[in-house]
């Protein structure tokens, strides 16, 4: 009897002792996505996460400037350059090129995050005015950032899947939308963004998207759509109240000294490195939000810098472009050359000295670089520091600046045949750089060629030229001529006006893959 | 004679004692009182441990005795008797001549491949004859020959179907075991069970403390562990105390480890000539420094600077004994191994306590085990990659450089390898891990044959490491102030299991049964990682004293919990027909609420043909057993919380952006993944057909097994398109689904033969396995192949696709190196013709001196569609063997192991023969193409290296090897030289990894993966050598002493 009781007790132990509650394990490392976004603080955090893709691989912390400076032939490879980056100067990039994969990937990551935020905000119904303002402003910022990502996607890839709301992201295999549909969507979204966005922010939020940035991007969209009248009208808005944009007195303020100017409409905010204890200075090699700790530097100064990794040079074509005939037909070297590149003894108008503001005094570029190569000065810190040793440049990446706006406005006017109206805009940009003032732009063809050179010189090393040449339809002829002179090759084919759809997308998305033509785009 | 000890505890001792007792009673009745003399003696095992309960019979009579708890016996034997026969289950029977001697010391030897061997089967043990499964077992004598820092390494080459690959040659780096092929896309590790309880730290057990290791391979045996058994089960049984006087066993060795292989590198002159060629290819000049005669002087052999002869020693002592109702065993071990690469040092200290008590007339048995392990690693490991790439003319030291080590300068030296000694000597690394496992069991007899057992393990761990860097300039980087990182964590986990065991013989029927449950709550865990930089002083290494510091990560309780019910039924009729059934129901918290529970089962049947009457006349065959089994097991090896939508805040709350320059970072939060609430168990079904054959009274034994394992619903992280925008930064988004299927088939065989009848006693056991692995289905999205193994921007090197082995090597096929411009021109003309002028170059930018890849798809030019399957990472053959011989006082053991039918990827070639940049290279590059007309296999320096270095057959080599794993020669001092205190003294010399035969050109063909500790990496990049540190050869001298 006793034994039976004991046996029953033990048997019951087997089946009663353990509750299924054991299986309800709580996640103590991550918040629950369904309950987290409910107040202004959490939405402000969500908004930060919309901006961070600007520092991803393929974007402004590293690859973005390599890809487009090399494709646009602003930059030429130097010997230390290696890996798939070597493909860009000779146009052998392909669907497996890692940098392009990152670009495409990061743009869509930004699209997802902005759509997620817009969707979450739409479910939030704040009552306090300050909360309502947060909601409106973040919605506008999200609309702008999504548009910026789509602007890059449509200009680089043409037809791409259009994700206009959160639900679209959970459709795994999506097909390509016609580019025209994307352009239309950009107009709508940016128009909404302009309404939602504030004119400016307090210092702590200086880098957020403003109304002016959205106006400029909408103008740029019109320009790319060749809607010149609408474009010129948008750009014109930015030169009148309530906006107070102005050209910086010295471009070095933006590109060397990293100080705030009234010229910036939108920039990728790179912050100073805060040491190994806080972040990994090499985070741009894939450590973003993962192993890289907290870091927002750009490694451009290190990658391009002649006292550092020196991976690229200034292309001869760009160097030579700074010397051109003035209105009297006399060869003239544009003083903006000295702001753009270093050259031994100041040849070709380059800056012959560096460390002009270093504590140990001025150094001669020629003492360090004897091969006659021209090295990048723009986006370098060498006037202030001899070398950092680590990638730790805090110089913000300019995405839209006022000089660009003026030149785009001039272009829209020239293309609408309002050439005299374009003249003061061009001269304003030239005056700041110390270049002579044009008295006339001549006929439309002449004006067009002046404007196009202005963009090349003023926006050198700012990833503008590749997009410009494609837009003007002159990529193949222009780059082939320059490469013929430099390398004896003419590598650019007609299909190069678009980037190849990344292989990883094609592998994972059979629907889209079926729409890819000629193994390219 | 002392009273016969009665025990109900299952296992060979009980069976032995029970039989002995029965036998003794029979004997007693028949005792004759003829002319007699008294013979006494002591029976002990090979290690000198007394064997209580052994039967000693006067041959040809029914006179005999059973040894007492000290292994002693005393028999009155008739004067005419000549021979004593001693037997004990699990050991080889012995006969000794009586002669005029009256006191005998008998040493019994464990029977290795006996058909009556007792094997652990999970929650119980059984005689092998009652088991219908494929179970492999090794005992202590196969283990002790090696000095290893990971118990798994002792299994290497010992069992058919069990592949062990060490994670590299650094002490403490561990090893991985794959049983019957890769059966998972998430984690191929088997389940480890220590002393009957799942989990536990297997490395807290010194190999000297292991009694046996049993591997359950087929589904009928593993199904009792349903949850986690899809990859097989490894059961480790440790030595316990034994009744008798206190005994002390000491085993220690000291030795030296070294790596003899070196790459043949360029000397300074050859190096500078190479740099000149590389510069020329880039239309760049040589720097002034490299034009001087000074750089043509070879100053440093960088390989010799980073390799060293390493001291190793290993000390173990075990004290054990016991009384009537209690036993104890105490062991302590200390291991100190230097790495063969500067400056790492590994130390391990272990303590083990094992107590057992019998209460209530021995009806309640308790055990308490505690194992404590402390591992200490010190020193940064030198970076080979840098060592090989350094210019030979650079000296090691440079007092003018920050940190005191020479550096190379990108401008004057044109290269930027970091001085490997700088990072080693100007840094400091230390890690300490303290783990303890406490195991408590209680077993109660309820009625004859029925017991109830409750067992629990509580594991606790503490870990800390720090890396400290002094200010230094290594070449590529400068650290102007000191910095450090620190990691801390503690963990605590437990498991509780309760079960009934029943075992009874009814006439010809033997019935055994198990019924129980297991409860394993989510573990407790906390970790924190911190880093600091910008130290004012380098006196104190404390992260809090850094002028700039931050918390870089912290984790809390991310484990999973499980709840399980299990049962087993075994039935044997007349020792001929064996039926094993088992079933388990498991719930795991990692799955969605609707898919938590899974049911697993196994069925096994065996027929011992030799037990049949009609076989009794066939004397040539002493054992013939046919086995068959089928079953289903599961796998829940995925991260928890994949079924719910979680907030992503970066790895360390580091979604950061600086909206205002100079303003502190703004922190971000977002969702970045797609949850799958429907995730469920992986299922593995396996069938096994086996045959056991014994000849010559089981001196010669064969075992054959054929298996087929089908894994379905494999959890797979499918890649989703980039356009979804999901996933971590820079990575392709993934989505977990139960999607893939895989098939592993294999044929296992083993043979053993032993002869101890002559002066030279010897035995040998060999095993070989032929196996294949094939992916049979992939994810849902168009069955997209999984690509992995990108290294050094050469592109992905493995592809997992339907119809091919998991993670097959996939790339271009090198045909030859283009010799002349004429050849290139002709090739390009062909391309133009074939593509109607659409393409004008066979390979973009092709020049003479470049690799010409095969046009696999025949479209006239080379693009990514010309990549194909170029190698197999999964060895078709694996084999191993042990040979033991003893002559008088000498003993010899040889162990070997190898794999064949496998490829390896020598990823090092990118850096060491790739000539992409000015780095030192092996002398293979002296064959490089230099001028039009050169016919060679080595491309031109730095020309089109983006294409030439793309992943291709150039990297793929034959990965087969044969390794003499161990040679041990021992000498045991004859007893006559020992005094009464010492019972055994043996000295030995051992050579571990004595030699290796291979065609592989790298340091070591035993390649794990790029980062072996990461399961995903291990599965998808197997066999890719990325500067894996080679396994050293170790020469040891050792001493074993018992008293």
């Amino acid at each position: 009897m006793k034994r039976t009781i004991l046996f029953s007790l033990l048997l019951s132990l087997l089946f009663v002792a353990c509750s299924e509650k054991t299986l309800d394990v709580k996640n103590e490392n991550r918040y629950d996505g369904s309950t987290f976004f409910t107040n202004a603080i959490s939405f402000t955090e969500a908004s930060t996460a919309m901006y961070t893709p600007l520092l991803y691989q393929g974007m402004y912390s590293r690859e973005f400037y390599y890809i487009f400076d090399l494709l646009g032939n602003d930059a030429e490879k130097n010997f230390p350059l290696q890996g798939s980056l070597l493909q860009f100067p000779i146009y052998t990039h392909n669907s497996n090129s890692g940098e392009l994969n990152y670009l495409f990937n990061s743009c869509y990551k930004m699209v997802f995050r902005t759509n997620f935020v817009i969707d979450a905000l739409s479910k939030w119904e704040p009552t306090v005015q300050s909360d309502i303002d947060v909601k409106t402003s973040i919605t506008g910022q999200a609309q702008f950032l999504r548009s910026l990502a789509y602007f890059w996607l449509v200009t680089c890839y043409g037809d791409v899947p259009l994700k206009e709301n959160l639900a679209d992201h959970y459709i795994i295999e999506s097909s390509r939308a016609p580019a025209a549909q994307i352009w239309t969507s950009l107009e709508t979204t940016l128009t909404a963004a302009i309404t939602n966005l504030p004119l400016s922010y307090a210092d702590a939020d200086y880098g957020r998207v403003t109304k002016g940035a959205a106006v400029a991007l909408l103008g740029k969209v019109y320009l790319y759509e060749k809607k010149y009248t609408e474009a010129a009208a948008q750009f014109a808005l930015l030169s009148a109240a309530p906006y107070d944009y102005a050209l910086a007195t010295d471009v070095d303020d933006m590109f060397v000294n990293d100080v705030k100017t009234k010229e910036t409409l939108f920039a990728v905010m790179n912050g100073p490195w805060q040491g190994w204890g806080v972040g990994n200075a090499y985070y741009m090699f894939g450590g973003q939000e993962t192993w890289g700790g907290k870091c927002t530097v750009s490694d451009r100064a290190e990658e391009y810098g002649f006292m550092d990794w020196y991976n690229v040079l200034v292309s001869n074509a760009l160097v030579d472009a700074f010397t051109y005939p003035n209105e009297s037909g006399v060869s003239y070297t544009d003083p903006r050359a000295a702001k753009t590149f270093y050259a031994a003894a100041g040849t070709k108008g380059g800056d012959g000295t560096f460390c002009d503001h270093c504590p140990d005094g001025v150094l001669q570029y020629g003492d360090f670089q004897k091969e006659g190569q021209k090295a990048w000065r723009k986006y370098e810190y060498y006037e202030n520091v001899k070398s950092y040793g680590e990638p730790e440049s805090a110089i913000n990446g300019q995405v839209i600046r006022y000089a660009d706006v003026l030149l785009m406005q001039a272009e829209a006017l020239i293309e609408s045949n309002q050439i005299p109206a374009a003249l003061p805009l061009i001269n304003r940009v030239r005056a700041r750089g110390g270049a002579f003032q044009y008295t006339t732009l001549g006929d439309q063809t002449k004006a067009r060629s002046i404007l196009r050179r202005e963009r090349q010189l003023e926006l050198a090393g700012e990833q503008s030229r590749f997009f410009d040449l494609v837009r003007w339809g002159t990529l193949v002829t222009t780059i082939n001529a320059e490469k013929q002179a430099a390398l004896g090759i003419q590598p650019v084919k007609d299909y190069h006006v678009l980037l190849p759809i990344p292989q990883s997308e094609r592998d994972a998305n059979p629907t889209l893959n079926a729409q890819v033509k000629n193994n390219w785009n | 004679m002392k009273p016969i000890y009665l025990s109900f505890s299952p296992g060979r001792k009980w069976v032995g004692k029970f039989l002995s007792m029965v036998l003794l009673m029979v004997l007693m009745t028949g005792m004759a009182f003829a002319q007699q003399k008294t013979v006494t003696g002591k029976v002990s095992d090979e290690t000198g441990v007394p064997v209580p309960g052994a039967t000693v019979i006067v041959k040809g009579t029914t006179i005999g005795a059973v040894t007492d708890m000290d292994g002693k016996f005393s028999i009155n034997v008739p004067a005419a008797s000549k021979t004593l026969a001693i037997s004990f289950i699990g050991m080889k029977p012995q006969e000794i001549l009586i002669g005029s001697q009256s006191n005998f010391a008998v040493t019994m030897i464990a029977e290795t491949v006996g058909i009556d061997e007792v094997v652990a089967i999970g929650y119980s043990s059984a005689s092998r004859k009652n088991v219908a499964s494929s179970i492999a077992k090794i005992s202590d004598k196969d283990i002790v020959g090696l000095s290893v820092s990971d118990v798994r390494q002792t299994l290497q080459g010992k069992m058919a179907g069990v592949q062990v690959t060490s994670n590299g040659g650094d002490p403490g780096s561990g090893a991985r075991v794959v049983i019957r092929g890769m059966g998972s896309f998430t984690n191929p590790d088997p389940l480890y069970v220590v002393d009957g309880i799942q989990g536990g730290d297997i490395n807290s057990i010194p190999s000297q403390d292991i009694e046996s290791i049993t591997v359950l391979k087929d589904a009928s045996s593993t199904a009792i562990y349903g949850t986690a058994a899809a990859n097989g089960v490894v059961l480790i049984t440790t030595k316990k105390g034994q009744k008798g006087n206190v005994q002390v066993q000491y085993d220690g060795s000291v030795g030296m480890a070294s790596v003899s292989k070196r790459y043949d590198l360029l000397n300074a002159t050859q190096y500078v000539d190479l740099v000149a060629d590389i510069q020329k290819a880039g239309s760049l000049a040589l720097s002034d420094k490299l034009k001087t005669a000074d750089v043509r002087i070879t100053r440093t052999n960088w390989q010799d600077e980073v390799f060293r002869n390493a001291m190793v020693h290993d000390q173990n002592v075990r004290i054990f004994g016991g009384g009537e109702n209690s036993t104890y065993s105490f062991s302590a071990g200390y291991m100190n191994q230097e790495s063969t690469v500067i400056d790492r040092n590994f130390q391990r200290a272990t303590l083990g306590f094992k107590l057992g008590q019998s209460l209530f007339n021995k009806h309640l048995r308790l055990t308490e085990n505690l194992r404590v392990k402390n591992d200490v690693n010190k020193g940064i490991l030198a970076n080979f990659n840098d060592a090989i790439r350094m210019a030979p003319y650079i000296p090691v030291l440079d007092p003018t450089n920050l940190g005191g080590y020479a550096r190379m300068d990108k401008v004057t030296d044109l290269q930027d390898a970091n001085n490997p000694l700088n990072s080693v000597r100007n840094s400091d690394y230390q890690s300490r891990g303290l783990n303890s496992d406490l195991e408590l069991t209680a077993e109660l007899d309820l009625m004859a044959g029925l017991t109830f057992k409750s067992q629990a393990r509580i594991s606790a761990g503490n870990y800390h490491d720090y890396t400290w860097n002094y200010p230094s300039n290594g070449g590529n980087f400068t650290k102007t102030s000191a910095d450090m990182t620190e990691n801390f964590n503690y963990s605590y986990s437990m498991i509780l299991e309760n079960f009934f065991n029943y075992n009874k013989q009814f006439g010809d029927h033997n019935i055994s049964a198990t019924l129980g449950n297991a409860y394993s709550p989510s573990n407790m865990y906390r970790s924190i990682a911190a880093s600091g930089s910008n130290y004012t002083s380098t006196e104190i290494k404390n992260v809090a004293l850094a002028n700039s510091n931050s918390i870089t990560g912290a984790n809390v309780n991310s484990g999973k919990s499980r709840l399980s019910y299990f049962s087993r039924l075994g039935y044997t009729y007349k020792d001929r027909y064996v039926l094993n059934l088992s079933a388990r129901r498991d719930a795991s918290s990692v799955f969605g609420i609707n898919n938590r529970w899974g049911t697993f089962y196994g069925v096994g049947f065996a027929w011992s043909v030799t037990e049949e009457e009609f076989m009794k006349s066939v004397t040539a065959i002493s054992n013939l057993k046919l086995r068959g089994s089928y079953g289903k097991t599961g796998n829940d090896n995925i991260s928890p919380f994949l079924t719910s939508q979680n907030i992503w805040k970066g790895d360390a709350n580091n979604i950061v952006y600086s909206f205002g320059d100079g303003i502190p970072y703004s922190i971000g939060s977002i969702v970045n993944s797609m949850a799958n609430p429907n995730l469920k168990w992986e299922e593995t079904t396996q069938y096994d057909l086996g045959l056991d054959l014994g000849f010559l009274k089981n001196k010669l034994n064969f075992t054959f097994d054929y298996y087929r394992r089908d894994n379905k619903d494999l959890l797979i992280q499918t890649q989703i398109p980039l356009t979804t925008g999901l996933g971590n930064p820079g990575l392709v988004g993934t989505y977990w689904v139960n999607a893939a299927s895989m098939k592993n088939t294999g044929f296992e065989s083993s043979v053993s033969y032993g002869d101890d009848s002559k002066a030279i006693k010897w035995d040998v056991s060999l095993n070989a396995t032929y196996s294949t692995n094939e992916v049979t289905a992939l994810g849902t999205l168009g069955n997209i192949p999984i690509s992995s193994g990108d290294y050094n921007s050469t592109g992905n090197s493995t592809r997992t696709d339907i119809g091919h082995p998991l993670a097959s090597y996939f790339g271009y096929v090198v045909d030859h190196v283009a010799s002349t411009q004429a050849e290139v021109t002709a090739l390009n003309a062909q391309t133009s013709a074939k593509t109607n002028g659409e393409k004008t170059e066979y390979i973009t930018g092709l020049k003479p001196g470049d690799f010409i890849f095969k046009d696999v798809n025949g479209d006239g030019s080379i693009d990514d569609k010309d990549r194909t399957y170029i190698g197999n990472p999964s060895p078709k053959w694996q084999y191993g063997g042990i040979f033991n011989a003893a002559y008088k006082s000498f003993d010899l053991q040889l162990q070997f192991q190898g794999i064949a039918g496998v490829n390896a990827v020598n990823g090092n070639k990118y850096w060491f023969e790739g000539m992409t940049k000015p780095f030192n290279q092996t002398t293979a590059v002296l064959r490089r193409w230099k001028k039009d007309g050169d016919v060679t296999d080595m491309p031109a320096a730095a020309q089109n290296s983006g294409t030439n270095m793309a992943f291709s057959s150039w990297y793929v080599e034959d990965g087969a090897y044969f390794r003499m794993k161990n040679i041990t020669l021992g000498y045991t001092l004859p007893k006559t030289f020992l005094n009464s205190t010492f019972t055994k003294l043996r000295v030995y010399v051992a050579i571990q990894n004595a030699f290796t035969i291979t065609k592989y050109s790298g340091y070591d063909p035993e390649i794990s993966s790029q980062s072996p500790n990461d399961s995903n990496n291990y599965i998808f990049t197997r066999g890719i050598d990325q500067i894996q540190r080679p396994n050293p050869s170790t020469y040891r001298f050792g001493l074993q002493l018992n008293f």
Side-chain angles (χ1 to χ4, degrees), chain A residues 41-100:
Chain A
I41 296 170
S42 58
F43 277 113
T44 305
E45 290 189 2
S47 76
T48 303
M50 309 186 303
Y51 286 84
T52 56
L54 292 169
L55 297 173
Y56 281 2
Q57 288 177 295
M59 306 301 267
Y60 274 74
S61 64
R62 186 167 186 267
E63 288 80 8
F64 193 87
Y65 49 83
Y66 264 126
I67 297 168
F68 297 108
D69 288 349
L70 289 167
L71 289 178
N73 203 27
D74 278 357
E76 179 53 271
K77 67 165 175 155
N78 193 19
F79 193 68
L81 192 73
Q82 65 165 340
S84 48
L85 283 170
L86 286 168
Q87 298 167 342
F88 296 105
I90 51 170
Y91 275 73
T92 57
H93 55 287
N94 54 62
S95 58
N96 283 313
S97 302
E99 293 78 10
L100 298 180

Side-chain angles (χ1 to χ4, degrees), chain B residues 14-29:
Chain B
W14 175 78
V15 179
K17 280 162 200 160
F18 177 77
L19 291 180
S20 314
M21 182 187 71
V22 174
L23 207 57
L24 192 68
M25 286 190 291
V26 174
L27 295 178
M28 278 174 174
T29 54

Side-chain angles (χ1 to χ4, degrees), chain A residues 3 14 22 24 28-31 33 45 79 92 105 109 112 163 169 207 269 277 289 293 390 396 505 507, chain B residues 284 446 517 531 533 550 556 561 596 645 647-648 651 654 657 659 661 669 722-724 727 731 784 844:
Chain A
R3 186 172 283 179
L14 234 57
T22 308
D24 298 325
E28 294 180 70
N29 292 311
R30 301 255 187 273
Y31 293 112
E45 290 189 2
F79 193 68
T92 57
N105 189 349
K109 292 239 166 26
F112 170 80
K163 311 261 178 182
H169 292 271
M269 300 296 288
E289 301 182 11
E390 308 278 8
N396 296 337
E505 174 67 18
D507 286 347
Chain B
L284 293 165
L446 296 169
N517 74 348
S531 67
S533 59
S550 67
V556 179
S561 63
R596 278 175 173 172
Q645 185 69 274
I647 296 290
W648 164 248
D651 271 3
N654 62 340
Y657 199 71
F659 286 109
D661 274 333
S669 300
L722 303 175
T723 46
T724 59
L731 302 177
I784 296 147
T844 311

Side-chain angles (χ1 to χ4, degrees), chain B residues 547-562:
Chain B
N547 294 329
S548 158
N549 53 30
S550 67
I551 291 168
T552 54
N555 273 299
V556 179
N557 299 355
S558 56
K560 64 180 137 197
S561 63
R562 283 185 191 147

Side-chain angles (χ1 to χ4, degrees), chain B residues 268-269 271-276 279 285-296 391 393-394 408-415 918:
Chain B
T269 296
Y271 167 76
V272 175
D273 290 345
L274 172 67
V275 176
Q279 291 296 94
L286 214 51
S287 67
D288 289 345
K289 179 177 177 182
L290 291 182
K291 289 175 189 154
T292 63
D294 188 59
V295 297
R296 292 184 177 265
Y393 60 77
I394 293 279
M408 282 190 298
D409 179 77
K410 224 169 162 172
V411 176
T412 56
D413 296 297
L414 300 172
Q415 72 134 297

